[in-house]
Amino acid sequence: MATPHADRLHKMEAWRTSAMEDSHRHLTSVSQALVEIAAGNREVAADLGLEGATGQAARASFDRLARRMIKASDRLKQIVKASTEALTAGIDARNESIEIQTKLKDVNDGFQRAEKVRQASGGGSSVPGMGMTAAEIEAKRQAAHAKIDALAKKSLSKLNGRILAAIDTLPPDGRTGQTTAHAGSRGTRPDGGQTDNEPTTAPAAGPAR
């Protein structure tokens, strides 16, 4: 029996996290720098040595710039938080895939041994020492594959939910009122196909670590 969900989830094992981790470090550094620059601008505004309307206008200008920097810093923090959740979700799915593939291998190895015994005994309709016919063994193999594939389907569904939840926490796009990523995210499978009922794309792959 085919295991399409396990096969799809298995692609997560080739995913490398280094690009996202580097991005998080860079964005966090920029966010912190913006806060420091905004604080410096406010110190400058408080000590301009200008009086009257000119001083007030200069202080107001510095304050507006500082507020914009703080807002930009906050947006970057939101992006890092959302991306970190997506990263964690992807890592969890990758780990679950490793466990599922181990179970699948164990099942396949066991049934391959049974087939070898059957072939060695002349290729009859039953397997010596197992008390089952070849058809019964095949039915058990298919049932085991179906059970494993159900685990993979559950894992993909969980990944889908966590990725969409992370996307929903991104700062809104000022032009559309919704996150740009969210607008095109729903219904994208980890293997890149489109479907209304299956999981979103896994986090973007980076270079091998």
Side-chain angles (χ1 to χ4, degrees):
M1 176 182 175
T3 52
H5 296 96
D7 294 345
R8 192 172 301 137
L9 183 64
H10 184 47
K11 295 179 181 180
M12 287 294 299
E13 294 182 36
W15 172 56
R16 297 294 180 265
T17 62
S18 56
M20 290 185 74
E21 291 167 345
D22 288 344
S23 175
H24 293 169
R25 285 192 291 270
H26 295 325
L27 290 175
T28 298
S29 177
V30 171
S31 176
Q32 292 171 346
L34 286 172
V35 171
E36 293 172 3
I37 294 171
N41 279 353
R42 283 173 170 160
E43 290 179 4
V44 170
D47 193 28
L48 286 174
L50 298 175
E51 301 296 336
T54 301
Q56 290 179 354
R59 284 189 290 273
S61 178
F62 274 106
D63 185 63
R64 283 194 301 271
L65 180 58
R67 281 188 279 111
R68 288 172 184 167
M69 288 182 175
I70 293 298
K71 184 176 180 180
S73 174
D74 289 342
R75 287 172 64 86
L76 288 176
K77 289 176 183 176
Q78 284 181 272
I79 291 170
V80 170
K81 183 178 179 180
S83 184
T84 298
E85 172 54 28
L87 174 65
T88 302
I91 291 172
D92 289 346
R94 184 177 62 185
N95 292 338
E96 288 172 6
S97 177
I98 292 171
E99 294 177 2
I100 287 170
Q101 289 299 319
T102 297
K103 292 178 181 178
L104 186 59
K105 183 179 184 302
D106 290 343
V107 165
N108 288 338
D109 287 349
F111 285 105
Q112 284 174 3
R113 286 193 295 271
E115 177 61 19
K116 288 179 180 179
V117 170
R118 188 179 73 85
Q119 293 293 337
S121 65
S125 61
S126 63
V127 180
M130 297 190 67
M132 290 185 291
T133 66
E136 289 172 334
I137 290 177
E138 175 61 19
K140 283 184 172 292
R141 185 182 72 85
Q142 292 191 15
H145 279 190
K147 184 176 180 180
I148 289 171
D149 203 50
L151 293 175
K153 183 177 182 180
K154 181 178 180 181
S155 182
L156 285 169
S157 179
K158 183 166 58 176
L159 174 63
N160 178 64
R162 291 179 67 180
I163 294 294
L164 289 179
I167 290 172
D168 281 338
T169 67
L170 286 169
D173 186 306
R175 294 167 300 171
T176 64
Q178 70 178 106
T179 58
T180 302
H182 194 182
S185 68
R186 294 189 182 274
T188 306
R189 296 197 311 253
D191 62 356
Q194 296 292 324
T195 174
D196 292 333
N197 300 314
E198 292 194 5
T200 60
T201 299
R209 301 186 70 180

